[in-house]
């Protein structure tokens, strides 16, 4: 083998080794990023699970208005676990959410005149009477079984 051929083969091998080392470096960064994302997702799910526990407990202890609690639980469930959110035992939260979707919030609520507020409050009372037992049953199920069956429960 000539010197030029040997030099070219060595240069090629060095280039391959350098590219392999760079590829290894990039893969390590990808794996580290995947681990970081998985840890962040686990932390997010634990936080949401804890928040759901607090809301369901507060709803059962009547420390939270039924309508507000149901809306908050529905939104958190959607973000926590869509399968759990779509479980038939949680449908009352969806029903209350949909039944109050047109209610103004925050500044728009404050801007309502008193008769309009009273109409909404009357509807809240009717919804509460109609769905209170089902919402309490769903909250109890969430605490006892729904969230307990999740491995990442906070």
């Amino acid at each position: 083998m000539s010197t030029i051929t040997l030099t070219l083969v060595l240069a090629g091998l060095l280039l391959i080794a350098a590219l392999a080392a760079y590829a290894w470096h990039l893969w390590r960064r990808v794996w580290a990023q995947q681990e970081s994302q998985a840890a962040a997702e686990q932390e997010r799910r634990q936080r949401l699970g804890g928040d759901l526990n607090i809301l369901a407990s507060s709803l059962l202890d009547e420390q939270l208005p039924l309508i507000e609690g149901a809306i908050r639980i529905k939104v958190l469930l959607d973000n926590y676990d869509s399968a759990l959110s779509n479980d038939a035992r949680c449908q009352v939260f969806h029903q209350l959410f949909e039944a109050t979707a047109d209610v103004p919030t925050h500044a728009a609520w404050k801007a309502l005149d008193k008769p309009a507020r009273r109409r909404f409050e009357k509807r809240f009372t009717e919804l509460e009477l109609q769905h209170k037992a089902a919402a309490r049953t769903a909250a109890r199920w969430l605490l006892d079984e729904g969230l307990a069956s999740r491995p990442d429960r906070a």
Side-chain angles (χ1 to χ4, degrees):
M1 211 187 269
S2 71
T3 308
I4 293 177
T5 305
L6 187 59
T7 304
L8 289 175
V9 168
L10 286 175
L13 289 174
L14 284 174
L15 182 62
I16 290 171
L19 289 173
Y22 183 62
W24 176 255
H25 168 72
L26 291 177
W27 273 112
R28 286 184 51 168
R29 286 179 55 191
V30 167
W31 294 328
Q33 185 176 18
Q34 287 174 338
E35 287 178 11
S36 174
Q37 287 174 339
E41 176 64 16
Q42 177 71 13
E43 187 275 326
R44 182 187 75 83
R45 286 184 54 80
Q46 285 179 344
R47 188 181 67 251
L48 287 173
D51 291 348
L52 282 165
N53 268 309
I54 291 168
L55 286 173
S57 295
S58 297
L59 191 131
L60 288 171
D61 295 340
E62 297 182 0
Q63 297 174 347
L64 182 66
L66 180 84
I67 303 298
E68 180 182 349
I71 291 169
R72 289 176 183 234
I73 288 171
K74 185 265 185 209
V75 170
L76 285 181
L77 275 174
D78 287 349
N79 287 290
Y80 178 72
D81 184 338
S82 61
L84 182 61
S85 179
N86 291 323
D87 188 287
R89 292 164 283 204
C90 292
Q91 287 310 301
V92 66
F93 301 130
H94 290 268
Q95 291 168 350
L96 289 168
F97 181 86
E98 291 167 11
T100 59
D102 64 325
V103 176
T105 61
H106 304 86
W109 175 262
K110 291 178 183 176
L112 288 176
D113 59 9
K114 286 191 180 198
R117 272 195 210 174
R118 286 200 177 95
R119 281 193 304 274
F120 284 121
E121 289 167 350
K122 182 179 182 239
R123 182 165 28 140
F124 294 162
T125 302
E126 291 168 358
L127 288 169
E128 185 169 335
L129 289 172
Q130 184 180 0
H131 295 286
K132 185 174 186 174
R136 290 179 57 82
T137 301
R140 173 56 50 208
W141 176 80
L142 270 177
L143 288 173
D144 293 346
E145 296 177 39
L147 296 171
S149 67
R150 300 303 187 261
D152 56 2
R153 184 177 181 202

